[in-house]
Amino acid sequence: MSSSHDRIESTPEVTYTESEWREKLTPEEFAVLRQAGTERPFVGEYTDTTTEGVYSCRACGAELFRSTEKFESHCGWPSFFDPADSDAVILKEDSSLGMRRVEVICKKCHSHLGHVFEGEGYPTPTDQRYCINSISLVLKPAQ
C-alpha cells in the first residue's frame, strides 16, 4: 500500500506526557490509543452502529471518519473505506505479530486507531478496509 502518509512527523500537534495521557484516558483507552493495543472483536461500541455522523479521535477530538464511509465488514470492528480527510491519518508500516500490516494513526496526536487492509474484495470505492478500534473513536451524531 503506497501512501504519502507513510511517515510520522517528529512532533504531533497535540502532545501530553505519558502521565497526562494516563490521567486523560481510561486504562483501556490508554492501552489501545497510546500502546497500540487492540480491543476484542465484536464488543466495541461502534461495531454495528449505523448512526449518521462524524467519528473523531477519542484522544484529541480530531475528525477522522464519517458514517458515509462506514460499511459492514463482519470483521468485529468498525470498518471504513476512507478517512474523512486524507490528511487526518498517518499510515505506518507495522511488522509486529510476524506479519506485514499498515497501522492507522491519528495525525493530530499520533494515537493508534487500528489498521488498514486492501485487496480483500469488499464492494467499496477504494478496496480498502480501515479496521478501527471503537475505543479509539467518539461518534458525534448528525443533527
Side-chain angles (χ1 to χ4, degrees), residues 15 17 28 40 59 64 69 71 74 78-79 85 106 111 116 119 121 124 135 142:
T15 59
T17 65
E28 295 82 11
R40 291 188 338 265
L64 300 171
E69 283 75 40
F71 70 100
H74 306 284
S79 296
D85 176 344
C106 174
S111 287
V116 62
T124 62
I135 203 166

Side-chain angles (χ1 to χ4, degrees), residues 78-95:
S79 296
F80 303 86
F81 61 81
D82 204 20
D85 176 344
S86 62
D87 287 334
V89 300
I90 296 169
L91 304 180
K92 175 186 167 198
E93 186 80 22
D94 176 6
S95 58

Side-chain angles (χ1 to χ4, degrees), residues 114-133:
H115 290 86
V116 62
F117 305 93
E118 68 180 353
E120 296 178 315
Y122 289 103
T124 62
T126 63
D127 196 26
Q128 293 180 324
R129 176 174 57 95
Y130 285 78
C131 184
I132 307 298
N133 292 287

Side-chain angles (χ1 to χ4, degrees), residues 58-109:
R58 188 173 297 269
C60 73
E63 181 178 323
L64 300 171
F65 300 96
R66 296 189 182 118
S67 59
T68 51
E69 283 75 40
K70 188 173 189 284
F71 70 100
E72 185 55 58
S73 67
H74 306 284
C75 72
W77 295 273
S79 296
F80 303 86
F81 61 81
D82 204 20
D85 176 344
S86 62
D87 287 334
V89 300
I90 296 169
L91 304 180
K92 175 186 167 198
E93 186 80 22
D94 176 6
S95 58
S96 65
L97 303 178
M99 64 179 100
R100 182 193 172 279
R101 298 183 297 170
V102 178
E103 182 181 11
V104 182
I105 299 168
C106 174
K107 182 177 181 182
K108 191 171 180 179
C109 69

